[in-house]
Amino acid sequence: MRNAVSDFQAFQIAALTQPLRTTDAGAGEAGFGEARSAASRIRTGIICNPKSHRNRSSVEATRPFVSGTVLAATPRTQAELAEVLTDFARLNIELLVIDGGDGTIRDVLTCGATIWKDAWPKVAIVPSGKTNALALDLGIPDDWSLCRALTAARDGNVVARSPIEVARQGGAPLRGFLFGAGAFVSATALAQRTHHAGAFKGVAVALATGWGILQTLVGGATSDWRRGERMRVRYPATAGAGANTDSDRARYILLASTMVRMPVGVRPFGTPREGMKTLLVDAPPRWLALAAPLVVGGASPGWLDRAGYHRIDTPSFGLHIDADFILDGEVYPGGDLTVSQAPLIRFVVP
């Protein structure tokens, strides 16, 4: 398992004697003063990943807020992250700010699950990563700043979301918002290569999705894209999964998410709704040229399920897979897994 937090770099926070530039604050002088006032009333801990795609100025922007009620840290390892979050919990912070992208959020929620369990402080996201799917889902704009997040937290603007928890026997559970296996692993690897080429956020997602579908369409019957991965998937009886309640066969893709809105407007789970939703597609995928635009667009004609494109809502499911899986962009080894909906967390929104 990769240690995603190990990519963090150290950054020492120190108080500034000069006022913050308005361009750094993401607001005018009045907005900055209002945010400073809000920060003085809320015990706040800030986790900042300075290696996030757009985070260089964001790291500097935390400096003027550090005070007796606001602490900021940039942990370099998982151990340092755990130590920082433990300190934040000991100090009874009321607001946890995560300055980074989806990967940073995943790491913080995973580490914090053993510290706060189901009693999390409010969480504010300052989106600065290559992918910011959760921020998009919550309606947080691309230019959302620390100033605006602190003011919104003071005003009590929150939306509740449940992360996904991925647990295995003998290992610490993971927390995130988008789980995928099968072709999704290869598509994510492609999306990360497009990041290196300069395509970010929805552009990378759209390129990866389109290229993955094309590879499947043009590949032969024995191509890796069409062959899929063997998965044993077990849904609870209450999920109404029918023949898929306990199945062991090759699957083209398995997706699960608790987000309501997905990037670039795709709707693989159908009508946007809360709760954990899954998309399970048989391998090899049938009538893909016809089905793909319907699945991506959220349409639900009756023949889709009969053709092997199954949308199933469930609070949990069991999965055995030998191949890797993806959680919020990071690759993890397969095995015997339990994927479930974790307790709600209150996220600060505009």
Side-chain angles (χ1 to χ4, degrees), residues 6 38 51 61 73 78 81 86 116 142 186 205 221 244 269 284 293 305 312:
S6 64
K51 292 197 73 177
Q78 294 281 1
L81 176 60
T86 299
W116 282 293
D142 192 52
S186 300
V205 173
N244 295 295
F269 308 109
D305 186 75
I312 303 167

Side-chain angles (χ1 to χ4, degrees), residues 90-303:
R90 178 177 54 82
L91 295 168
N92 295 317
I93 65 167
E94 302 164 284
L95 176 67
L96 175 64
V97 178
I98 305 173
D99 194 342
D102 290 329
T104 307
I105 296 168
R106 178 201 60 235
D107 290 335
V108 173
L109 296 189
T110 293
C111 187
T114 59
I115 298 170
W116 282 293
K117 297 182 172 56
D118 58 353
W120 280 77
K122 294 177 184 177
V123 176
I125 297 168
V126 179
S128 54
K130 292 179 179 178
T131 59
N132 303 289
L134 179 60
L136 292 171
D137 175 42
L138 295 172
I140 295 173
D142 192 52
D143 60 352
W144 184 248
S145 64
L146 181 58
C147 275
R148 294 169 68 184
L150 289 169
T151 303
R154 180 205 60 189
D155 294 341
N157 302 335
V158 295
V159 168
R161 283 284 186 276
S162 293
I164 284 176
E165 178 174 279
V166 183
R168 71 175 80 224
Q169 188 173 6
L174 304 167
R175 294 277 178 94
F177 283 89
L178 181 59
F179 173 95
F184 186 70
V185 176
S186 300
T188 300
L190 177 59
Q192 290 172 344
R193 288 197 293 274
T194 62
H195 288 159
H196 292 302
F200 301 110
K201 301 174 188 170
V203 175
V205 173
L207 286 173
T209 301
W211 183 249
I213 293 172
L214 180 62
Q215 288 288 329
T216 306
L217 288 172
V218 302
T222 60
S223 74
D224 290 341
W225 287 92
R226 292 186 59 81
R227 187 168 57 244
E229 299 287 352
R230 192 169 192 88
M231 306 180 196
R232 182 180 181 189
V233 186
R234 302 177 304 281
Y235 288 98
T238 54
N244 295 295
T245 298
D246 189 344
S247 60
D248 188 353
R249 56 161 297 169
R251 302 288 187 175
Y252 174 62
I253 195 169
L254 169 61
L255 292 178
S257 182
T258 52
M259 292 188 291
V260 175
R261 295 186 300 171
M262 301 293 289
V264 296
V266 300
R267 296 184 174 185
F269 308 109
T271 303
R273 59 198 182 280
E274 296 184 354
M276 188 166 76
K277 305 159 288 287
T278 67
L279 172 68
L280 184 66
V281 179
D282 298 345
R286 300 172 61 194
W287 306 332
L288 185 62
L290 178 61
L294 298 176
V295 171
V296 170
S300 300
W303 63 264

